[in-house]
Amino acid sequence: MARNTVYATLENQGFALTHIDDWSADAERGSSGASVIFGAFAGKKGRHVKLRVSCQSAPEGTVITLMQGTSGASGGLIGVRQASALYSDIYNVVSLTFQNAGVLISSGNL
C-alpha cells in the first residue's frame, strides 16, 4: 500500500515511472534536452529531474527512500538551486501525503 501511494503521488506530480523491480522504480519529469539547452531558464516545470524510489520492509513498517538522481548542474548554480528546491518540494508533497493518511512515523532530509 505504501509503495502504491508513493508511486501515485509522484505520478500526480507529473513523474513517469520506470519500474526496476517489485519494490523500486525510477521517477522522471521534465526534459533533459531542455535542461541542457536552456539551463537555468528551463525553470522548475521544464527542468529534468530523476528520483530513485525504493520501498523496504522494516520492523517499524515500510521504509520509503527517495534518492536524488540529477543535480541540475546543466543550469549552472541557478539550475542546482532550482533542482534542490524542486526536490524539497517533492519530498514535502510525499511526506504530506503520508501524514494526511495518518501513517507517517518520521521523515528525514534525503
Side-chain angles (χ1 to χ4, degrees), residues 61-91:
T62 303
V63 176
I64 306 278
T65 305
L66 303 176
M67 294 170 282
Q68 183 174 333
T70 52
S71 67
S74 61
L77 186 56
I78 293 171
V80 171
R81 287 184 188 152
Q82 287 175 343
S84 178
L86 184 63
Y87 284 118
S88 291
D89 292 346
I90 294 162
Y91 297 143

Side-chain angles (χ1 to χ4, degrees), residues 6-95:
V6 73
Y7 286 174
T9 301
L10 291 171
E11 288 174 331
N12 287 337
Q13 293 296 309
F15 283 86
L17 295 175
T18 303
H19 297 275
I20 297 167
D21 57 33
D22 288 342
W23 300 104
S24 60
D26 285 333
E28 290 187 79
R29 181 173 86 179
S31 167
S32 58
S35 292
V36 170
I37 293 170
F38 298 112
F41 297 108
K44 274 183 154 182
K45 292 289 182 187
R47 171 142 326 276
H48 177 252
V49 291
K50 185 174 182 178
L51 292 168
R52 172 69 49 95
V53 183
S54 67
C55 306
Q56 301 158 330
S57 182
E60 309 82 34
T62 303
V63 176
I64 306 278
T65 305
L66 303 176
M67 294 170 282
Q68 183 174 333
T70 52
S71 67
S74 61
L77 186 56
I78 293 171
V80 171
R81 287 184 188 152
Q82 287 175 343
S84 178
L86 184 63
Y87 284 118
S88 291
D89 292 346
I90 294 162
Y91 297 143
N92 288 335
V93 167
V94 170
S95 179

